[in-house]
């Protein structure tokens, strides 16, 4: 066994073959990055030292081309092809993140400084959009918990709020009323601290492309895709539960928790099945998108049907 088994991973999920395969993928992508030539890139140095973790699925990965061309990013338009077409010119370097609210280390952080002490790892996660499609994405990133701990939240910090950049000059969709801008999202702090919750900086061993939320996005694999907010410019620790963009847009259709749940239908369509991009037949959607073992405990005592 080359890697330490994560405490959430069952034996049957970590076979020697998967370890071997993960390592091979890791070596391939590390080589693909051209490490010798890497200068100043934000993910390369720490990525070179990172090891694959036990959190990843062994399911077939969705091709890079599909992940980067079939997107939801309303800041660039509501069509699936719009983000790839119109996000190209978004300036993602330099980038800063404003940290506010109930924590000791508030302030504006340059992204490179924020990332410097963190090591980037690969996490291959299922990703399920509320619209009924899904993908398997090899993200590069770090657990959000690492960043939260450094910011030293106060005892009042019960929720973490995230905000996407607001800049209609660069984000043409923000000139429309598709949503109430800027895009915002939130997690309960224990959800944010869960080891599965990732801040992604890349995918397939490369820096994130703008259409996928460069330079920094959230990934919460057991929740519907809209919780995974892109191009984050602001993080706020809060005492009260924030209202996210899709709740604001339609309180009866979208909730705060938005955990993947095949038993709770969207008012306009069933959530029982999903189409994995690239597959013809639909597959069954799993409770918590297949991550129940890791996250169901966060919701014990809650009515999952009401708290959608
Ligand atoms: N800022 C912002 N973040 C966003 C969105 C958006 O429109 N704006 N769309 C969400 C939705 S609905 C989904 S399904 C995912 C899509 O991520 P992907 O395009 O990288 O697959 O991003 C989420 N994050
Ligand atoms: Mo979505």
């Amino acid at each position: 066994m080359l890697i330490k088994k994560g405490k959430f991973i069952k034996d049957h999920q970590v076979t020697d073959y998967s370890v071997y395969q993960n390592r091979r993928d890791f070596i391939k992508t590390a080589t693909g990055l051209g490490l010798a030539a890497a200068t100043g890139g934000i993910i390369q140095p720490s990525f070179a030292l990172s090891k694959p973790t036990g959190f990843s699925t062994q399911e077939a990965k969705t091709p890079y081309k599909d992940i980067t061309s079939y997107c939801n990013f309303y800041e660039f338009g509501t069509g699936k092809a719009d983000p790839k077409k119109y996000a190209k010119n978004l300036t993602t370097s330099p980038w800063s993140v404003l940290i506010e609210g109930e924590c000791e280390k508030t302030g504006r952080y340059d992204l490179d400084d924020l990332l410097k002490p963190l090591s980037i790892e690969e996490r291959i996660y299922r990703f399920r959009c509320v619209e009924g499609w899904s993908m398997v994405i090899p993200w590069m990133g770090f657990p959000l918990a690492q960043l939260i701990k450094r910011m030293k939240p106060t005892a009042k910090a019960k929720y973490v709020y995230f905000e996407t950049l607001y800049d209609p000059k660069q984000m043409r969709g923000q000139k429309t009323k598709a949503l109430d801008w800027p895009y915002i999202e939130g997690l309960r702090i224990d959800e944010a601290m869960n080891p599965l919750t990732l801040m992604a900086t890349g995918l397939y061993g490369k820096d994130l492309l703008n259409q996928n939320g460069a330079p920094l996005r959230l990934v919460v694999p057991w929740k519907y895709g809209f919780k995974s907010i892109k191009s984050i410019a602001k993080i706020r620790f809060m005492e009260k539960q924030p209202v996210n963009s899709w709740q604001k847009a339609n309180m009866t259709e979208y909730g705060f928790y938005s955990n993947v749940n095949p038993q709770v239908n969207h008012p306009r369509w069933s959530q029982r099945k999903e189409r994995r991009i690239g597959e013809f037949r639909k597959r069954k959607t799993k409770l918590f998108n297949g991550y129940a073992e890791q996250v169901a405990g966060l919701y014990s005592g809650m009515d999952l049907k009401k708290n959608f």
Side-chain angles (χ1 to χ4, degrees), residues 72 80 127-131 133 183 224-227 246:
N72 270 336
K80 292 286 182 285
F127 187 88
R128 168 63 155 84
C129 174
V130 74
E131 296 164 343
W133 53 266
Y183 194 99
Y224 289 118
F226 66 84
K227 299 293 291 182
W246 280 101

Side-chain angles (χ1 to χ4, degrees), residues 282-296:
K282 287 193 173 176
R283 48 168 79 214
K284 281 186 179 157
T285 289
K286 293 185 180 147
L287 181 62
F288 297 115
N289 202 23
Y291 297 100
E293 203 185 319
Q294 292 96 323
V295 301

